[in-house]
Amino acid sequence: MTGVAPANAPAVGTVRTPGVTTAESPLLEVTDISAFYGRVHALKPTSLHIGRGELVTVLGPNGAGKSTLLRAITRLTPASGRIAFEGRDVSGLPTHRLAELGVIMVQEGRGLFGQMSVRENLILGAYTRPGGDMDKQLGRVFELFPRLKERIDQISASLSGGEQQMLAIGRALMAEPKLLMLDEPSLGLAPRVASEILATLGELNRQGLGILLVEQKAPLALKLAKRVYVLSLGQIAAELPASEIRSHHDLARYYLH
Amino acid sequence: MADITQLLQSLITGVGVGLIYGLVGIGFCVIYNASGIVNFAQGVFVMLGGMICHALLTRLGLPLVLAAVLAVPIVAGIGMLIETLVVRPMWNRGATMFAIILATLATQIMIERITILTLGDQPRSFPEFTPGGPLKLGDIAVGYQLFWILGCGALMVGLLWLFFTRTRTGRALRACSQNREAAALLGIPVGRMLLVSFALSAALGAVAGILVTPTQVTAFNIGTPFGVNGFIAAIIGGFGSAAGALAGGVLLGVLQAAAIVLFGAGFKNVAALSTLLVVLLLFPSGIFAGFKGFKRA
Ligand SMILES: Nc1ncnc2c1ncn2[C@@H]1O[C@H](COP(=O)(O)OP(=O)(O)O)[C@@H](O)[C@H]1O
Ligand SMILES: [Mg+2]
């Protein structure tokens, strides 16, 4: 699977005017988002953007603030700063309202409903689509992850790590998101399973889905993305075309100390 | 020493009141699973169910069926009011669980006072749903109301099961109980689910109160004993599943009834609290942990 980004992905470093609602306004535009845990400034004012149909990767070492960034964007963690989605200011909206707009996140650790079956997890994924065609949507997910169909009535906690991650992504897709954010989806998976899952993300992106992919280990994620943010010590240390990073060694140059 | 007939007789009574404890226990679990809040005002729903049903019967002269059917949504509405006026504001401000739980206790006392002022402080009762009886099995008498309690208890559990497994809102409530953050990320309004859980829980308490009143009396202050025993039933059942709470309630009711016959009425609460201690010491996650439908995430 090669990491060909869609042709309409914006070029690196495009200048943007915040708050202008046009067809060109980015899918997601985050301006000076900042979060504290008590007195620990875990996320210093950070800005980033994702174009429509773009796959962007955020890389950073353990404890850099990657999860905090995603939790701040989805309002699981209180944060200051401005968030615009499709050109509309959504800074004041709570987590579930963002989901209704199509911003869906797959949490670190997958966030499955462990005592529920695969089917129930998937059905809950479509919570924001009550009138939707459930069977059609399930069919789409099973096409991407046939393993889930075989395990449909199994309790999700009893799935293997890879299957759980597939379920987490499949559940997110049931919501027909416009922006899919994933927090270290390859964490704890065998390399082959991890690359299979990331390949599926590449495929989804080619179909036009905007993706914000957070990873700690670079190689797989770099194949997919055209543009990479490097997060270190709670701030963005660099924004680069993925082609400039070939190894973890290259990446380490951008880490702050 | 009590004879065997007397013991059997009291065990049957124990099953009836135990099922009521079970319903109250389920009410505790519904709110706790959705939010982590232990609602100590749970017992007042039992009291209000009986008192409001009685008021509708006597003051408005409604037939029993109508009074009972009306009392349940009224109490559910009071439950929603408690959520909106007391629990939600604290929850939104990020108050500690301890503070919220204390507030529910204060709410119970306040509602008891309001009940005295509006409905009076005298004990009240109304007739059994089916006149006649009791049914005689040898020397043992079984009141018809026990069958109502059994039937309605089973109906409630069946309806709850359907609600939690077959409806969008029921599933969403279970999702909140397993992983609140994941639920919110899928678009489930976690705050609104708290309101639903209070309504449901209050309705369950009201049904319990209406069912039990003909077998004893109701008064402004019966909330505490029913609340405490329902809470113990829920703990015996592992504070998770409806079936566990119901079984825990029956066990508790039977043990209490046996203790009264064997050792005297003063041992009712001793039996309840010793059961609680034994369960907490030996089976910290409830003696029916194996039955648990779902654990907390
Ligand atoms: N709930 C929390 N309370 C206090 N500190 C936290 C909490 N969560 C994360 N942190 C701290 O914030 C920093 C960033 O954490 P995190 O966003 O989880 O990093 P990453 O996802 O990049 O590994 C770390 O120093 C971490 O210890
Ligand atoms: Mg993380």
Side-chain angles (χ1 to χ4, degrees):
Chain A
M1 187 83 31
T2 53
V4 187
N8 63 346
V12 172
T14 309
V15 180
R16 288 158 197 292
T17 329
V20 180
T21 312
T22 66
E24 281 102 75
S25 58
L27 188 58
L28 181 77
E29 180 149 49
V30 175
T31 315
D32 289 333
I33 198 166
S34 166
F36 287 83
Y37 293 112
R39 285 160 68 182
V40 179
H41 204 171
L43 187 64
K44 315 219 167 75
T46 294
S47 301
L48 57 84
H49 61 88
I50 301 163
R52 288 163 201 252
E54 198 185 9
L55 191 158
V56 173
T57 296
V58 174
L59 291 172
N62 197 15
K66 304 183 296 297
S67 296
T68 306
L69 172 64
L70 291 195
R71 294 176 59 85
I73 293 173
T74 52
R75 297 305 187 207
L76 288 179
T77 294
S80 61
R82 186 175 177 281
I83 303 171
F85 183 67
E86 294 186 314
R88 171 185 165 193
D89 187 349
V90 295
S91 310
L93 298 186
T95 308
H96 73 272
R97 292 279 295 114
L98 286 170
E100 282 170 13
L101 293 178
V103 181
I104 301 284
M105 165 159 106
V106 175
Q107 286 170 283
E108 187 176 327
R110 291 144 201 157
L112 293 178
F113 304 120
Q115 301 306 114
M116 289 190 200
S117 67
V118 169
R119 185 197 307 274
E120 282 194 298
N121 269 279
L122 291 173
I123 290 175
L124 277 162
Y127 185 84
T128 52
R129 300 261 171 277
D133 185 343
M134 188 72 75
D135 290 332
K136 188 170 145 226
Q137 203 55 21
L138 282 171
R140 272 192 54 194
V141 169
F142 293 147
E143 224 167 89
L144 284 170
F145 303 114
R147 295 259 278 287
L148 293 181
K149 191 172 186 178
E150 296 163 22
R151 308 245 184 278
I152 180 114
D153 288 315
Q154 203 166 312
I155 294 298
S156 70
S158 70
L159 298 175
S160 74
E163 288 161 353
Q164 289 192 11
Q165 193 60 62
M166 291 175 198
L167 177 55
I169 296 171
R171 186 178 70 180
L173 293 175
M174 292 295 289
E176 299 182 57
K178 291 175 178 165
L179 171 63
L180 181 61
M181 305 199 287
L182 304 107
D183 195 348
E184 300 205 40
S186 67
L187 193 69
L189 300 184
R192 197 180 48 78
V193 182
S195 66
E196 201 179 300
I197 284 174
L198 289 192
T200 306
L201 294 180
E203 174 60 34
L204 288 165
N205 175 241
R206 238 163 298 143
Q207 292 167 12
L209 178 61
I211 297 180
L212 177 58
L213 175 62
V214 164
E215 281 288 357
Q216 197 179 134
K217 297 206 202 81
L220 290 168
L222 285 175
K223 271 198 224 160
L224 297 175
K226 262 201 168 164
R227 205 155 55 82
V228 174
Y229 292 98
V230 181
L231 200 65
S232 179
L233 296 180
Q235 55 189 304
I236 291 190
E239 178 188 351
L240 307 157
S243 56
E244 281 192 19
I245 311 171
R246 234 160 263 109
S247 69
H248 199 267
H249 183 74
D250 282 348
L251 197 61
R253 271 196 294 142
Y254 299 101
Y255 289 175
L256 307 171
H257 295 285
Chain B
M1 202 63 209
D3 64 48
I4 195 77
T5 310
Q6 208 185 343
L7 195 59
L8 279 175
Q9 178 71 61
S10 68
L11 293 189
I12 286 179
T13 317
V15 169
V17 74
L19 282 168
I20 299 295
Y21 296 160
L23 286 179
V24 180
I26 296 172
F28 273 107
C29 297
V30 166
I31 292 179
Y32 180 76
N33 281 332
S35 63
I37 295 172
V38 177
N39 170 36
F40 274 115
Q42 200 62 36
V44 297
F45 299 141
V46 181
M47 180 272 286
L48 287 172
M51 292 297 278
I52 290 176
C53 184
H54 180 268
L56 292 173
L57 266 173
T58 55
R59 300 200 180 183
L60 298 186
L62 297 180
L64 182 55
V65 188
L66 198 57
V69 168
L70 272 179
V72 176
I74 292 176
V75 177
I78 294 174
M80 291 165 81
L81 220 54
I82 294 177
E83 194 271 353
T84 309
L85 298 180
V86 181
V87 177
R88 176 74 64 86
M90 297 184 74
W91 174 276
N92 285 349
R93 274 193 289 103
T96 60
M97 216 36 100
F98 179 68
I100 296 180
I101 290 170
L102 268 186
T104 66
L105 200 57
T107 306
Q108 155 141 353
I109 296 166
M110 208 173 71
I111 290 180
E112 285 178 354
R113 296 295 124 179
I114 295 173
T115 307
I116 295 177
L117 294 174
T118 52
L119 300 175
D121 61 354
Q122 290 307 301
R124 316 186 181 276
S125 194
F126 42 80
E128 298 201 346
F129 295 1
T130 311
L135 197 68
K136 284 286 198 184
L137 300 169
D139 286 335
I140 302 165
V142 185
Y144 286 161
Q145 192 66 18
L146 179 64
F147 296 102
W148 277 100
I149 294 177
L150 282 171
C152 292
L155 183 70
M156 294 306 289
V157 171
L159 288 176
L160 274 179
W161 182 81
L162 283 176
F163 171 72
F164 277 116
T165 59
R166 295 285 186 275
T167 69
R168 179 169 179 258
T169 305
R171 263 200 206 96
L173 262 175
R174 272 167 65 223
C176 291
S177 82
Q178 293 184 29
N179 192 331
R180 223 167 296 153
E181 285 192 346
L185 286 169
L186 293 175
I188 296 171
V190 178
R192 178 120 36 89
M193 290 298 134
L194 188 60
L195 185 67
V196 174
S197 75
F198 265 83
L200 192 60
S201 180
L204 275 168
V207 169
I210 295 165
L211 286 171
V212 80
T213 298
T215 71
Q216 33 188 272
V217 292
T218 188
F220 73 94
N221 59 358
I222 64 149
T224 303
F226 276 105
V228 169
N229 287 310
F231 184 60
I232 296 175
I235 289 179
I236 296 177
F239 235 105
S241 73
L246 217 52
V250 170
L251 181 72
L252 184 64
V254 166
L255 283 176
Q256 278 186 348
I260 293 171
V261 172
L262 296 175
F263 310 115
F267 282 82
K268 186 180 174 190
N269 290 331
V270 178
L273 295 170
S274 344
T275 312
L276 176 64
L277 284 178
V278 169
V279 169
L280 285 179
L281 285 173
L282 299 182
F283 310 94
S285 36
I287 57 176
F288 302 103
F291 290 169
K292 268 175 85 168
F294 44 84
K295 287 199 195 74
R296 279 195 314 133

